[in-house]
Amino acid sequence: MSKRVALVTGGNGGIGSAICRELAAQGHVVVAGYFPPEKESAEAWQKQMKEQGSTIALCALDVANFADCERAVAQITEEFGSVDILVNCAGITRDGTLKKMPEANWKAVIATNLDSAFNVTRHVINGMLDKGWGRIVNIASVNGQRGQFGQANYSAAKAGMHGFTMAVALETAAKGITVNTVSPGYIATAMTEAMPEEVLKSIVNSVPMRRMGKPEEIANAVAWLASEGNGYTTGANIPVNGGLFTSH
Ligand code: CAA
């Protein structure tokens, strides 16, 4: 198995942590990008990962800021080599119905969840093209596929993310690069914990598997898409949602 350099944005988050652990377990050099103001908690997280047996590097990276992404990717490239596997995982929610949504909540979600895919990928794509090998996995959401009450901003950003996946997949298909989306359903993380309990309960009751997903279940899908073995799946949107939404 080849050892690759992997960058996971939002690597210290709920789903990001499981992805970092899985890619590290496969022998890759893993760098977790974290939101710069979270330096202290990111360092504590790194220590905890180490204690649990996973060695993961850290890089401050504001995914909503194009120039900061350029700086961070240059720093990672200098320290570890060019990024072979990119997982765009950083994301936030600012839920609320459209009739009450402040402009700031629209802009923050679009910047962090959609602009981010461009901001980071733009700085790694040429390295992958030069090498003739790359794996890009964008973490979207079931709510980008089907829409969600109270998530006009989040659903728009996540649907847009898969549009980005499909276009970049076409541009890179003949160059040894695969670009795919994973669309998680409701996964047990701090993001879903922040939801009103009753709302979460009723959504989980509507999941055919009658339970929330585990971060590891997303990480397994990501690890496969990022592997040497996946040379022929590109532009796909892989649902990992317990049957909550099915489509052709
Ligand atoms: N469908 C239809 N109507 C609904 C509804 C639904 N799902 N949920 C609420 N309503 C109705 C209410 O019954 C109420 O009706 P009345 O006005 O007739 O009484 C009305 O809508 C409430 O509207 P408000 O604008 O006042 O909404 P609110 O301020 O009470 O709260 C909300 C709305 C904040 C969006 C809340 O419903 C909520 O948090 N929903 C969860 C959204 C969600 O799923 N977030 C996922 C977060 S995790 C994640 O995003 C990860 C991932 O990828 C899955």
Side-chain angles (χ1 to χ4, degrees):
M1 189 169 47
S2 307
K3 186 169 164 174
R4 304 283 187 180
V5 176
L7 168 61
V8 182
T9 72
N12 56 328
I15 292 177
S17 297
I19 295 171
C20 286
R21 267 199 302 265
E22 184 60 34
L23 293 176
Q26 299 197 351
H28 300 304
V29 172
V30 181
V31 183
Y34 68 90
F35 186 43
E38 294 173 0
K39 184 172 195 289
E40 222 169 276
S41 63
E43 284 171 356
W45 169 88
Q46 182 187 38
K47 195 164 163 254
Q48 195 188 348
M49 289 292 116
K50 183 85 189 158
E51 284 161 7
Q52 293 171 8
S54 305
T55 301
I56 296 157
L58 282 178
C59 184
L61 168 71
D62 180 355
V63 294
N65 181 322
F66 186 72
D68 195 54
C69 292
E70 183 172 29
R71 174 207 55 76
V73 170
Q75 191 181 315
I76 293 165
T77 304
E78 195 178 313
E79 205 169 328
F80 303 103
S82 66
V83 174
D84 304 300
I85 297 170
L86 170 63
V87 185
N88 285 309
C89 183
I92 58 168
T93 51
R94 294 286 184 274
D95 292 351
T97 47
L98 181 64
K99 64 186 179 187
K100 296 193 272 192
M101 188 178 287
E103 187 191 14
N105 287 4
W106 172 266
K107 288 202 159 154
V109 169
I110 297 296
T112 304
N113 297 11
L114 179 58
D115 291 349
S116 54
F118 170 75
N119 291 344
V120 184
T121 311
R122 177 66 183 83
H123 298 298
V124 308
I125 197 71
N126 285 316
M128 291 181 179
L129 288 167
D130 289 346
K131 221 182 244 185
W133 199 93
R135 297 285 183 267
I136 299 170
V137 185
N138 295 319
I139 307 299
S141 167
V142 64
N143 293 342
Q145 296 178 285
R146 62 165 197 170
Q148 170 62 24
F149 186 100
Q151 287 200 306
N153 48 6
Y154 188 87
S155 298
K158 295 299 193 178
M161 201 180 209
H162 186 58
F164 178 79
T165 291
M166 293 190 290
V168 182
L170 296 180
E171 291 183 16
T172 58
K175 312 284 183 190
I177 300 169
T178 67
V179 188
N180 292 288
T181 297
V182 170
S183 285
Y186 284 74
I187 309 301
T189 64
M191 186 181 270
T192 47
E193 237 168 62
M195 292 174 63
E197 204 182 324
E198 284 313 306
V199 177
L200 181 59
K201 218 183 242 175
S202 89
I203 291 175
V204 174
N205 280 336
S206 73
V207 176
M209 287 193 190
R210 297 283 185 275
R211 67 168 177 90
M212 298 183 79
K214 300 174 197 158
E216 293 72 26
E217 289 169 323
I218 304 304
N220 288 336
V222 172
W224 170 67
L225 288 169
S227 69
E228 303 292 326
N230 170 35
Y232 206 56
T233 295
T234 197
N237 190 352
I238 309 293
V240 186
N241 63 29
L244 182 56
F245 176 77
T246 55
S247 65
H248 286 290

